[in-house]
Every structure is written in structure tokens, then in C-alpha cells.
Amino acid sequence: MSGFKRALVSGGPPRHNILAPLRVAQIVSSKPLLPAEIISTIINYLPVPDLLRFARTSKRMREMVYDDTRWVQRLQLMGCWNEAQARKRLDEARRKRSEQVKARRAEEAKRVGIGVNGANGTHVSGEEPGRTSVTLFDAVWDDEEQETPVGTNGERHQGGIVDAFESVAQSPNGASTSATYERPKDSTALLQILRKVQSIRGHAREEYGKVYGALAPFYIDISRSENHTDPSIFRSYRDPEHQAQMLAQLKMFAKSDVSQGWQQREAKLDALIDVFQTAVLREFEFGCQTGDVEGKMRKYAHVLVTLNGGQAGIDYFVKQNKILLEREKLGDPMECLNQASTGNISLGSSNTFLERLSSSFNEQIVLIDRVFPPTANVLLPLLDRVGNVISDYVTLLFDEAHQRSIESYLKAVSGVYEQSLWFARALQPTSTSGDEFYEAIDRVVKKVFEPHIDLYLGEELDFFKDRSDAEVVEWERKLTEQDASMESLFMSNVNRQADKRDFLTSFKRVVMMPVNVFPTFPISSPFGFSKPATAKALVNGDTLDPSRLASSDASTRSSTPRPVNGMVRTPSRSSTPLPEAPTTELAAKAAIMNSRLEGIRSLFSIEVALNLVHAAKASLERAARFVRLGGSIGERAREQCETIFVILLQALGPKHVQAGFDTALEHLSKYNPRKVSEHSQTGVAPLITFLELVNVGDLIQQMVDVFYEQELIATRLTDRSDFLDPAVKEKKRFEQMLDERVAAGLNKGIDVLMDEVEYICATTQVATDFNPAASGDANNRVIDVGPTKTALQVVEVVSSHTKMLVGSTEKNMLDVFNQEVGLRLFTTLCKHLKRQRISVDGSIKLISDMNHYLTYIQTLKNQNLLEYFIALCELAQIYLVDPSHAKELATIIAEGDRFHGIFRAEEVYEFAERRADWYQVKRGVERAMYGIGCRVM
């Protein structure tokens, strides 16, 4: 505490200066015994009556006790203070006060004739009218004006306001008594006293005083009672619901009691509430046992909820629920396994179990709406107990299924989970439930299946991996058995004793045996129908229309070998009846080579690929269902789906398709057309077979693409733009492998095709085609100006192979293949042309052949390739020049632009040497080109 003390002054002149007392005054300060902060902390622990008495000791103590933050804290402890509402009211009060001040200033300015903005310079904006000047002491007045509490109506509350605690009389010992408190005539108004508390800045003490005056008498009376029948609350309120409301308010009011002995007072209140709750719960249990829904159950459920949320009543209701007591009647999980065959599971029993459970749950929902108030949270505890019922059922089912069969276990987990989702959507919410009801159901379903997810995902992956490996191994085993049985059949009637004497000779004869003894192969592709539609149908499990496969009677589509006439055979091989077993080892070895060459078509199978795709689809669809669980479980399920796709590609690629292509390339490289005595067919048999194998590989790739789009991309299990994704990387690796094997096979096939073209040119091109005089008949003239038989046959063979790739190979690869075939054909024709003798009369045939080749090349629509054959047609013109025009012939040979840079002059000169009359024109040509034979005059 501090103050001013006037010093005594004796004598001296009379005081004429008003400031003289200030000059002679001395400032004497007295310090308090305790700091204000400690005093403020101490008074927090005083009872409310003592706190009010302490406020009367001094003005400063009164300010400390009446501090608004002290009472706001007590209201916050009771949960009655809304800070946002208090701020809003304060801002609104300030706004109204500001408007009132502005209006008052404007009115005063108009009354005295001075503008609001001080137009005549006698009034400064912001100053109160009537003030002549502003001094330092005026700041004290402004601060007090701002700190004065403001009411909701914007008016300032003066010191004469009635204090909220003045109606509470003080007893001699400092405690308030309920006898002197004037209780409202309507006691039911006190039941809502806490709800009527307003959050107003500067009025927290008054609001707390209202609550204290209403609830403190009951609270103190309970703390002084000896037993649970003494408190006056039960005499003031006879209705159990009113008693529960008042006890609930007293429980909240006790939180603001921080004075000495608050633990004992709160313990007595809790003991009284427990006794009251026990009595009410007993009545509620009796109503449940007698089925009095609208009577005791509803009445006392509301009382329990009003008292403390009704958790005791909710626990009893859930624990004694019919669903839990009659769970054995819902269904037996063993019926799912006992009613199904080995490796399968019958999910009809589990579906019946979930239907009965949902029906019982919906009945309980109706009962909850009738008994409990909307604020009671009965649904979630009941859902947790229902989840326990489902968990016990599925755990027993999954454990037994896992012991019996892995496939049954996988089908059980995914199937029951799918049924659980339908079960969750069949449940009906309460009348006050919102979206959180379905979120709670999803959490319950996730909680049920979460313990089984890790084991399921591991078993699913191992099951598919083992099945895919077994499928490929089984296919290879059947092929091996087929080859062994075929060899055994062919060697069964061989007289080995006679052939052993000349084994080397026999083997040499077999190796050098003409290939035409092998049966011919169909040229048409077995997959002439639309491959994308076929691949999609195969992936989806649809059956194909037999009419679409009518053209595949001679089809080479590979499938699973099956017994035919006591032997294992595949539809991919010739469907003609088996020949009789040969009687010599030579014939037997030829038949074995024939069978192996024909078996190139069955090196990998569409049926195997289709089985693997269907197995992957089944596993992936089962695993993909758990992606909807979200979180880490959903992420693991998504990664599992990608892993299944990766295993599928690994089984189809390196283990099946790649090995088949490698074997096909080995067979293809052994083909030698010069050992074939007759070439009556329009295609090269091994090459045709390989191209059909390419068609099969292309169909498998399209099946993989359809599977990838439908099962992974459409379901958003993977992102094709993520180049680091395992599924994307493995798919690109599979496509790259397939492209490399096809490219290597096509390269080897081009070699075989060109060998066949060279053979045709060498064997069918007669000397008189381009030189009629070679026959010795001087009258033999060229009458037919069309292409020769050789040119027709060459174009037919080459075009038949290039057309087979149309529609089954990508355009880029097809363009590269056609360009390579064209360039190799150009080289072959140039070599063939240098082996011929061409006369002027025979040049007409040669020009016809070149034009025929050019017409075929035009169908390939390759401009770069077209220039080579245009140059070849120009080259044929040099044979049409008459021998007497040697100088013009030399000009044609030396003209580089004529051949578009394809042929140099030296190369054209070499072709000119193949003229039949070359030795007649050689001197003239060389003289014109090089000056040979010229002499300087």
C-alpha cells in the first residue's frame, strides 16, 4: 500500500503559490507484507463466503476478489463458459457503445452550432464536449471508462448494481446456510440453472453467484448428511428424473469447489449418486426382465442418461442382449465345410448366419429407439459386441478351413468378407444416427478380419505361385511323354539287329533326307478372327463362337495334350490319322524328325496361358476385396495384387513362352531348302509354323493386356504412369522379351525365306528366259511379255509370308520386317541377275520381272524400299539398248542420277557385263567411258 503524507512546516511566509504544498510534501511509501500475486493465489482456495468477506477489507482486495478472470475460471471448471460467445457479445457491446458515442457527439455538435469535424476550429475531433483542455490526469478517466463492465444492452453498469451474492446470508462461522436463502417459488426452475448461465465479459461473478445461490445449499446439505436419506434434495424433488437432473448439476458444480475439504464433499456427493444410480438401475433391470418397454425401461433409461450419460444402463442392456444370449441359434460355421466337396466351401450357411444376425440387430435398433433418449450412445457398444459374435464365427471357420484345404481357406476368407460388407449395408441405423454409423460398421468389419489378413495374403500368394508352376510343369511333362510315346511307336517295329550294322550310314541318310517327306502345313493363320475381342473373351471366361473358329480345322492352336488312340497328342499337331509304324530305323527316324518339326506349334499353349490368367484373376479378385479396408492393410492388399500379376508374367514369360520361342528358333535354324527335292507348296513349312507360333504369342500378349487393363488399371490397383511400379516394370519386361524373341525368329525366318528364294531362282530360272538364242534356234523370239515363272513364284512365296503377320504384329515391327524382307530380296535379285546372260530380246522378260517385283513392293507402302526396286527397273533398261548404240549405253551406265544413288557406275558396269553381246559392245562402251582405244593425233 502506498500514499501521500504531508510534512509539518512551521513558520515561514504565508503560502501564496498553489504549488507550494507540493514542493514541501514528502512521499512516504509502505510496502505490503505479501506480494499481490501470492495473495491472489491464496484467496483462490477460500470458500465463497470467506472470499466475499475478504473483499470488504479494502478497496484493493475488493478489486482482487471481483476480478472477472477469477469467476470465469470457476465457470470454465463447470463447463458453463463459452469463450467464443463471450467475445462475440463483447464486440457487439463495443460496437453499440461506439455508435452511441458518435450519435451523442453529433447531437451535441448540432446543439451548440459546431461541426462534428470542428469546422470553425473551436472543437477538435475526438474530444468530449465541455472539456476545455486535455491534461495528463485525463488518461486515468479514460482507463476507468474502458474498464467499466459493459452489459448486453451496451449501457455501463454502475456501482449501485445489486450484487448476486448479497442474497446469501453469512452464518457466524463463515458458511452459507440454506435456511436464509430465498429459494424461487418454482423449484423446477433450478433444474436448468446451469443452462441459463450466460458468457458475458465483466459479469462472470454475477453469473456464478446465481449458480451458487441455487446449488450451494443442496451441495452443502449433502456434505453434512449422515446417510443417503437425509439430503433435502429428495424432499424437494420427488420425481426421479428431477432428482437425476439436480444430482447431475451438483456433480458439475462440485468441480468449481477448490476450497479446503473439497475431496470429502465430492466423495459424499459421489456416494449419494452411486446409491441413486443403483436404485434406478435395479428398476431398469426389472423392466427389462418383465418386458415393460414403454414403462420402466423407457422411464429409468432416461433417468440414467440424465444422471451421468446412462453408461450403467447401456452396459446392462448390451450385456443381456438377445443377440449375445442366443448366438448359438444363429448358425454353425462347420456347415460351410461339411456341405461342400473337398477343396470347396459352401458359403450359403455363412450367408444365412449373417442374415439372421442382421435381422436380430435391426430388431434391437427398434427397441433402442423406443427405450433410450437420442443422446444415449447405445449403438456403438452393441456394434462392438456384434463384431465379437462375427469374429468368433469366422475364426472357427477359417481355422478349420485352413486345416482341410488351402483353396477352401482362401475362398472362405474372401467370400465371408464380401458377405460381411453386404451385412454391414443391411443394418439399419437408429433414428438419430448419421454417417458415423456406417463408419462404425466399417471399423467393426475391419476389426473382425484384421487378424486374418496377413496369413491370408501369404497363403494366397503361395497358392497362386504353386499353381502356376504346376501348370507349366504339367504341360512340359505331357509334351515329354508325347515325344517319348511317339518315338516308341515309330521304333516299335524296327529290326534293330539289321540296322545296327550300318548305323552311321542310316543316320546320314536320315539327316540328308528331303524335307518334302514331311506333311504339309496350312498357310492360313488359325487366328483370323479379331484377336482383341478373342483375348477379352478368353480373359473373362466367355466361350467362343464355334463358327468363328470354322477356319481353324487345320488350326495349330496349342492346347493340353490328350489321349488319341492310346497315345498322348495335342490338337496343335496334325489331326490326320496316325500313320502305321515304320518297319525300318531310317523311316522311323524320319518320322520322328517329322513329328518334332511339326511339334514346333505346341511349344507353348494358349490353354496353359488361359488357365494361368484365370487363376490369377481369381486370386487377384479375392485379394483386391481387402483394398477397401484402407490403411496399411489396404496397401498390403494392393501390393499383393501387383505381386500376383508379376508372378503371372514370370510364369508365362521365362518359364513358358520364352522357352518355346528358343526351341522354335533352334528348329527353324536347322531348315535347309536345298535338301528339299520338291517345292510345290506356296510357303516355307518351318517359317509358316513359326509365324503361327508368333500369332499364338501375340494372342497371349493381348490376353495379358486385357487382364492388366481390366483387373489392375480399371480397379486403380496400379498406375501405368508410375515407371517404378513392379507391375508396370514386369509388364514391360514381358513385352520386351516377347518382342526380342519374335524379332530373332523373324530374322531367322528371313534367312530361311531368302534361302528359299535363292533356291527358286536357281532351279526354276532357265537360260532361255532372258536369252532366247541360247536354245540354238534363231527363230526363237520372245512372244510372251509377262513375268517369268520364277518371278511369279518368288513373289507368291514372299508375299504369303509377309501377309501372315498382318493383324498379329505391331505396325512398327511389321514395317521393319517388310523393309528387311524387301532389302534382302533386292540383294538376292541382284546376285541372281549377275548369274544370268541377257540378250536384247530377253531383256523384255527381265523388265517384266522387275516390274512385277516393283508392283509387289508397292503393296508394302514403304517409300524408302520402293526406290531400290525403281533403280532395279532402271537397271534392266541397259539390256534393251541395241549393240550398235554402245555410246548411248555407256552414257546410261555412267549416269548416276538415273539410279538415285543406289548403284554406282562400277556396279552398273558389272551388270552390263551380263549382256549376251557384251564382247561386241565392250570396246565401244569402254572407249566412251574411259577413253580406252583413243589415240592422240
Side-chain angles (χ1 to χ4, degrees):
M1 305 293 288
S2 62
F4 292 99
K5 185 176 182 182
R6 195 179 301 275
L8 299 177
V9 180
S10 61
R15 294 178 299 176
H16 300 287
N17 191 351
I18 192 172
L19 298 178
L22 294 177
R23 293 192 183 100
V24 299
Q26 295 181 358
I27 299 178
V28 180
S29 60
S30 61
K31 296 182 179 179
L33 297 178
L34 292 176
E37 293 80 3
I38 297 179
I39 296 175
S40 177
T41 304
I42 292 175
I43 65 177
N44 284 335
Y45 298 95
L46 292 178
V48 172
D50 294 343
L51 194 62
L52 299 178
R53 189 179 298 107
F54 179 77
R56 298 191 180 102
T57 57
S58 67
K59 182 179 180 181
R60 187 170 183 182
M61 294 299 103
R62 180 177 181 274
E63 293 176 354
M64 188 177 297
V65 172
Y66 282 16
D67 184 16
D68 197 58
T69 58
R70 187 181 311 281
W71 306 101
V72 168
Q73 183 180 5
R74 290 178 178 265
L75 292 177
Q76 289 176 344
L77 292 175
M78 294 189 299
C80 300
W81 182 263
N82 189 338
E83 185 65 24
Q85 183 181 1
R87 289 172 181 249
K88 182 178 179 181
R89 289 181 174 177
L90 181 61
D91 294 340
E92 183 68 19
R94 287 178 176 176
R95 185 184 62 80
K96 290 182 178 180
R97 175 179 173 275
S98 176
E99 292 176 356
Q100 291 176 358
V101 170
K102 289 181 180 180
R104 187 167 59 250
R105 287 177 179 177
E107 183 180 356
E108 183 67 18
K110 290 179 181 179
R111 185 175 62 81
V112 298
I114 302 176
V116 177
N117 296 326
N120 25 359
T122 59
H123 176 67
V124 180
S125 177
E127 294 185 359
E128 288 287 344
R131 289 192 184 184
T132 58
S133 63
V134 180
T135 66
L136 178 64
F137 297 99
D138 293 330
V140 179
W141 184 87
D142 291 337
D143 292 339
E144 292 177 354
E145 184 181 48
Q146 293 178 3
E147 292 178 357
T148 304
V150 180
T152 56
N153 57 357
E155 296 180 356
R156 195 179 312 278
H157 292 272
Q158 304 298 329
I161 188 173
V162 178
D163 195 21
F165 293 99
E166 292 180 359
S167 59
V168 181
Q170 303 296 327
S171 63
N173 58 1
S176 63
T177 61
S178 59
T180 59
Y181 173 69
E182 296 181 2
R183 190 174 300 150
K185 296 181 180 180
D186 185 10
S187 59
T188 58
L190 301 180
L191 300 177
Q192 305 294 332
I193 190 64
L194 293 182
R195 295 184 180 182
K196 296 179 181 180
V197 175
Q198 296 182 350
S199 302
I200 305 175
R201 290 286 186 184
H203 290 271
R205 180 175 56 84
E206 288 84 349
E207 295 297 324
Y208 183 79
K210 297 176 184 178
V211 176
Y212 186 87
L215 301 181
F218 293 109
Y219 180 70
I220 297 174
D221 180 65
I222 292 174
S223 64
R224 296 174 178 177
S225 61
E226 299 295 335
N227 52 57
H228 63 273
T229 59
D230 292 342
S232 61
I233 184 175
F234 298 115
R235 296 190 295 272
S236 301
Y237 300 97
R238 297 295 183 179
D239 188 0
E241 188 168 357
H242 291 172
Q243 296 172 353
Q245 291 180 6
M246 182 55 67
L247 288 175
Q249 290 189 125
L250 291 176
K251 181 64 178 176
M252 296 178 63
F253 176 75
K255 296 179 181 179
S256 66
D257 182 12
V258 293
S259 60
Q260 185 178 7
W262 66 269
Q263 295 93 340
Q264 293 78 7
R265 291 190 290 274
E266 188 173 7
K268 281 202 170 185
L269 177 62
D270 291 340
L272 181 63
I273 292 177
D274 290 340
V275 172
F276 179 78
Q277 177 178 302
T278 303
V280 174
L281 184 60
R282 189 180 302 109
E283 296 294 330
F284 178 76
E285 293 175 359
F286 181 75
C288 293
Q289 295 172 0
T290 58
D292 188 6
V293 176
E294 298 296 338
K296 292 194 176 213
M297 287 185 65
R298 178 180 176 84
K299 176 181 178 180
Y300 291 104
H302 283 68
V303 172
L304 290 172
V305 172
T306 303
L307 180 64
N308 54 11
Q311 191 60 43
I314 293 174
D315 293 341
Y316 177 82
F317 178 81
V318 173
K319 184 178 180 180
Q320 300 297 324
N321 197 271
K322 184 179 69 173
I323 297 178
L324 303 179
L325 298 178
E326 301 178 358
R327 58 195 308 175
E328 291 79 7
K329 299 180 181 180
L330 297 177
D332 184 9
M334 293 298 100
E335 295 179 357
C336 298
L337 298 173
N338 298 332
Q339 297 177 0
S341 59
T342 304
N344 293 320
I345 186 170
S346 176
L347 297 179
S349 299
S350 60
N351 188 44
T352 303
F353 164 79
L354 293 175
E355 287 180 353
R356 293 173 180 173
L357 184 59
S358 63
S359 178
S360 299
F361 182 85
N362 292 335
E363 292 177 1
Q364 297 302 312
I365 291 297
V366 176
L367 183 60
I368 290 174
D369 286 335
R370 295 174 59 188
V371 173
F372 291 92
T375 57
N377 185 16
V378 188
L379 188 59
L380 296 184
L382 183 60
L383 273 177
D384 291 338
R385 293 301 184 95
V386 171
N388 295 336
V389 174
I390 300 177
S391 180
D392 295 341
Y393 181 90
V394 300
T395 300
L396 183 59
L397 174 61
F398 294 164
D399 292 344
E400 184 66 23
H402 189 271
Q403 294 178 2
R404 296 190 182 186
S405 171
I406 296 298
E407 186 174 5
S408 300
Y409 170 75
L410 300 178
K411 293 179 179 179
V413 174
S414 60
V416 174
Y417 174 73
E418 189 71 18
Q419 291 177 349
S420 299
L421 296 181
W422 287 104
F423 161 78
R425 296 299 174 261
L427 299 183
Q428 297 178 1
T430 59
S431 58
T432 58
S433 299
D435 295 337
E436 64 275 5
F437 169 74
Y438 296 102
E439 296 176 359
I441 294 179
D442 294 338
R443 289 195 299 268
V444 170
V445 173
K446 181 178 180 180
K447 182 179 178 181
V448 169
F449 285 89
E450 187 173 5
H452 307 280
I453 296 300
D454 290 336
L455 178 61
Y456 164 76
L457 293 179
E459 294 290 353
E460 185 72 73
L461 189 61
D462 294 340
F463 174 77
F464 174 70
K465 187 175 182 180
D466 296 340
R467 182 173 179 178
S468 59
D469 292 341
E471 187 77 22
V472 176
V473 170
E474 180 66 15
W475 168 258
E476 294 177 352
R477 183 188 64 80
K478 290 181 179 180
L479 286 182
T480 304
E481 292 179 356
Q482 176 185 350
D483 293 339
S485 62
M486 189 68 65
E487 184 176 356
S488 176
L489 171 67
F490 290 147
M491 300 294 293
S492 60
N493 295 334
V494 175
N495 186 353
R496 298 182 179 272
Q497 297 298 329
D499 291 319
K500 281 182 180 179
R501 291 191 294 267
D502 197 8
F503 175 76
L504 294 178
T505 304
S506 300
F507 181 75
K508 183 177 180 180
R509 290 172 61 190
V510 171
V511 173
M512 302 300 296
M513 192 174 184
V515 185
N516 65 336
V517 300
F518 298 162
T520 60
F521 299 94
I523 298 177
S524 60
S525 173
F527 304 105
F529 48 84
S530 176
K531 287 192 181 67
T534 304
K536 185 174 182 179
L538 292 175
V539 171
N540 294 331
D542 300 338
T543 57
L544 298 178
D545 187 0
S547 62
R548 301 174 63 187
L549 301 176
S551 61
S552 62
D553 292 338
S555 172
T556 60
R557 183 176 70 85
S558 53
S559 66
T560 303
R562 49 179 178 265
V564 178
N565 296 331
M567 295 183 302
V568 180
R569 292 183 53 81
T570 62
S572 61
R573 305 205 174 177
S574 179
S575 58
T576 58
L578 289 177
E580 296 182 358
T583 56
T584 63
E585 187 172 357
L586 175 63
K589 290 183 179 293
I592 292 173
M593 293 177 63
N594 176 20
S595 175
R596 289 179 178 176
L597 181 61
E598 185 181 357
I600 192 175
R601 301 168 179 172
S602 59
L603 293 177
F604 53 81
S605 168
I606 291 181
E607 184 178 349
V608 172
L610 187 61
N611 292 339
L612 292 178
V613 169
H614 284 169
K617 181 179 181 181
S619 296
L620 192 144
E621 287 179 348
R622 289 195 295 261
R625 294 171 180 172
F626 296 97
V627 176
R628 288 175 285 186
L629 290 175
S632 60
I633 297 178
E635 182 63 21
R636 292 202 303 271
R638 189 191 65 80
E639 294 176 355
Q640 180 83 309
C641 295
E642 292 184 342
T643 306
I644 291 174
F645 180 71
V646 170
I647 294 176
L648 170 65
L649 295 184
Q650 292 175 351
L652 283 176
K655 297 180 182 179
H656 191 58
V657 176
Q658 181 176 344
F661 269 117
D662 292 342
T663 306
L665 289 176
E666 183 181 357
H667 292 335
L668 193 62
S669 61
K670 294 179 180 180
Y671 177 75
N672 189 353
R674 291 175 177 81
K675 298 178 182 180
V676 180
S677 60
E678 183 180 356
H679 292 258
S680 58
Q681 59 187 27
T682 58
V684 183
L687 182 56
I688 293 175
T689 306
F690 179 81
L691 294 180
E692 292 176 352
L693 194 66
V694 172
N695 289 335
V696 177
D698 178 68
L699 184 58
I700 292 177
Q701 182 178 359
Q702 291 184 21
M703 290 167 55
V704 171
D705 291 339
V706 172
F707 178 83
Y708 179 74
E709 292 292 334
Q710 290 185 350
E711 303 298 329
L712 293 176
I713 298 299
T715 56
R716 298 181 180 180
L717 295 177
T718 187
D719 183 10
R720 61 160 58 91
S721 61
D722 185 5
F723 62 92
L724 296 178
D725 188 82
V728 177
K729 292 170 60 177
E730 190 64 29
K731 185 174 183 292
K732 291 181 178 179
R733 190 179 295 112
F734 174 79
E735 294 173 349
Q736 182 179 0
M737 179 276 301
L738 196 60
D739 292 341
E740 290 176 354
R741 293 303 183 276
V742 171
L746 294 180
N747 182 53
K748 183 64 66 176
I750 293 174
D751 294 338
V752 173
L753 182 60
M754 292 302 108
D755 291 343
E756 185 73 15
V757 170
E758 290 182 1
Y759 180 84
I760 293 174
C761 292
T763 56
T764 61
Q765 194 82 65
V766 297
T768 57
D769 286 345
F770 303 141
N771 188 11
S775 63
D777 186 1
N779 297 324
N780 188 8
R781 308 283 294 180
V782 177
I783 301 176
D784 185 11
V785 295
T788 63
K789 177 182 178 182
T790 301
L792 293 174
Q793 190 172 349
V794 168
V795 171
E796 184 179 2
V797 170
V798 175
S799 63
S800 64
H801 291 83
T802 55
K803 290 179 180 178
M804 291 181 65
L805 293 178
V806 177
S808 62
T809 309
E810 292 184 358
K811 186 179 184 301
N812 294 334
M813 181 175 290
L814 183 61
D815 292 341
V816 173
F817 176 76
N818 290 338
Q819 183 172 354
E820 186 66 20
V821 169
L823 292 176
R824 300 278 287 275
L825 177 62
F826 172 80
T827 304
T828 302
L829 293 178
C830 290
K831 291 167 58 179
H832 175 64
L833 192 59
K834 290 181 180 180
R835 291 194 293 262
Q836 305 300 315
R837 281 292 177 183
I838 303 137
S839 64
V840 175
D841 295 336
S843 63
I844 298 177
K845 276 286 187 181
L846 178 62
I847 294 174
S848 298
D849 285 359
M850 295 302 109
N851 289 331
H852 186 60
Y853 293 136
L854 179 62
T855 303
Y856 163 69
I857 295 301
Q858 288 176 344
T859 61
L860 300 181
K861 299 179 180 180
N862 192 318
Q863 187 63 32
N864 296 330
L865 189 61
L866 193 62
E867 294 180 357
Y868 284 87
F869 284 85
I870 292 176
L872 201 59
C873 292
E874 293 292 339
L875 181 64
Q877 302 295 328
I878 66 175
Y879 301 104
L880 193 60
V881 180
D882 191 82
S884 60
H885 299 85
K887 186 176 181 180
E888 287 76 7
L889 179 60
T891 303
I892 295 175
I893 294 175
E895 187 179 357
D897 295 339
R898 185 182 186 92
F899 304 102
H900 307 287
I902 304 298
F903 296 109
R904 295 175 299 171
E906 293 81 1
E907 294 175 340
V908 179
Y909 182 83
E910 293 179 1
F911 283 105
E913 290 178 344
R914 304 311 303 167
R915 286 178 60 101
D917 54 359
W918 172 248
Y919 291 103
Q920 299 178 16
V921 300
K922 177 180 179 181
R923 184 179 181 85
V925 171
E926 291 180 348
R927 182 183 296 114
M929 292 182 63
Y930 309 115
I932 298 176
C934 296
R935 287 183 290 181
V936 179
M937 299 299 294

